[in-house]
Amino acid sequence: MLGTEPQIVQEYVNSGKVKLIFWPVLNHNDPSVYATLTAHCVGRQDPDKFWDVHEMLFTNQSDLWRADRDYFVNTAVAAGADRAAFELCYDDPTALEEVLSLDAIRKQRGIAGQPMFDIAGTVYGGAPPYESFAEVLDFALQAAAE
Amino acid sequence: MKSPRFIPVVLLLLLAACSSEQPKTPTVAASPTTQVAALDDSPTMPTPLPTVAPPASSTPLPTVESIAESTAIADVATHTPQPTPTSAPEPLPVISGQIAEGAFFLGAPDAPVTVIDYSDFL
């Protein structure tokens, strides 16, 4: 689920206050891996399109459990990615390794579940309401300004 | 009927009274370096003001000629300069990209706060 992310992007990211990093967590085997690989390969072509595919994948989350290669290729094309270039990346072991390495790093950081949010160095678990996020972000922004 | 001898004496007394009248000295707030002027009838010197050291460098006063020149040059701008209104700082540019480790980001690279969203698409 996208949860409160759209609001955070609108209120804090677009205004330049917050830089948002999406760090993949691959806790659901192949569906997690290849959904993340899809977003990763689209992002390689155009980082802006990463966030388009990011939204598409979360919106159609229920489809991902049974999604196959064709599904992910069609998703990438629907997001505006070049089909041939996407398929090259999707089938490239190097790209897969990049995605798996990100997952390994988050494990090293002690991130076990999802979603988890590292806000200015402090990790919060769960999906709290937007107001709770805003409160923490405002506090972090105030601390950063001092 | 008064004797004429008393008149000069009265005059003398009047003259003495006028000479003893002192201007009232204002009281000065006590400070370690200044002395408070006492209000009494005895004549006292006014309390000297503390000397102020001149600035290390002083801008010379413009001469009559230079004023004339500057006036001629400044004919275009004779209005009183107005303070520049402060405007809100421009927001940082928002972009998307990849960080060094390969994860994708959205936002100003120099944003004051970074949020890492550890999420699974499922």
Side-chain angles (χ1 to χ4, degrees):
Chain A
M1 289 180 62
L2 283 169
T4 57
E5 189 177 281
Q7 261 182 300
I8 294 171
V9 170
Q10 181 179 346
E11 298 296 330
Y12 291 91
V13 177
N14 291 342
S15 60
K17 298 176 186 175
V18 167
K19 180 172 84 172
L20 176 65
I21 299 173
F22 179 83
W23 204 288
V25 173
L26 310 179
N27 276 350
H28 295 91
N29 303 317
D30 283 354
S32 298
V33 172
Y34 290 100
T36 302
L37 182 61
T38 297
H40 189 84
C41 288
V42 171
R44 268 187 169 185
Q45 293 187 32
D46 184 349
D48 287 341
K49 289 185 170 61
F50 169 89
W51 295 98
D52 295 336
V53 172
H54 166 275
E55 182 177 345
M56 291 169 65
L57 291 171
F58 272 116
T59 301
N60 301 291
Q61 193 176 49
S62 59
D63 295 341
L64 301 182
W65 292 104
R66 55 182 183 277
D68 57 8
R69 186 179 182 281
D70 287 341
Y71 179 92
F72 290 122
V73 171
N74 292 335
T75 299
V77 172
D82 178 79
R83 177 186 290 269
F86 173 80
E87 288 185 293
L88 269 176
C89 176
Y90 189 89
D91 297 330
D92 184 1
T94 305
L96 178 62
E97 188 55 39
E98 289 176 3
V99 169
L100 295 176
S101 70
L102 288 172
D103 190 54
I105 292 172
R106 63 95 181 171
K107 289 177 182 175
Q108 291 169 5
R109 292 177 179 175
I111 304 296
Q114 78 286 335
M116 303 283 282
F117 299 93
D118 180 326
I119 301 176
T122 302
V123 179
Y124 302 83
Y130 170 76
E131 289 73 21
S132 300
F133 265 113
E135 190 175 335
V136 174
L137 290 174
D138 290 342
F139 181 80
L141 285 164
Q142 188 178 0
E146 292 174 355
Chain B
M1 189 172 174
K2 287 187 180 176
S3 168
R5 290 178 297 177
F6 288 107
I7 294 174
V9 173
V10 169
L11 285 175
L12 283 174
L13 287 174
L14 282 174
L15 284 173
C18 288
S19 64
S20 67
E21 188 174 334
Q22 296 296 317
K24 290 183 181 177
T25 55
T27 55
V28 177
S31 73
T33 57
T34 59
Q35 293 181 341
V36 177
L39 282 176
D40 56 17
D41 292 337
S42 60
T44 59
M45 294 296 292
T47 307
L49 294 172
T51 56
V52 176
S57 62
S58 58
T59 307
L61 294 174
T63 60
V64 175
E65 292 77 15
S66 63
I67 289 175
E69 288 176 1
S70 63
T71 302
I73 294 170
D75 276 343
V76 176
T78 56
H79 62 276
T80 305
Q82 299 296 324
T84 306
T86 55
S87 57
E90 291 187 8
L92 297 172
V94 176
I95 63 173
S96 53
Q98 275 181 286
I99 63 174
E101 292 89 340
F104 285 86
F105 75 87
L106 177 67
D110 295 334
V113 171
T114 296
V115 174
I116 304 177
D117 174 11
Y118 294 98
S119 285
D120 192 336
F121 282 111
L122 279 90

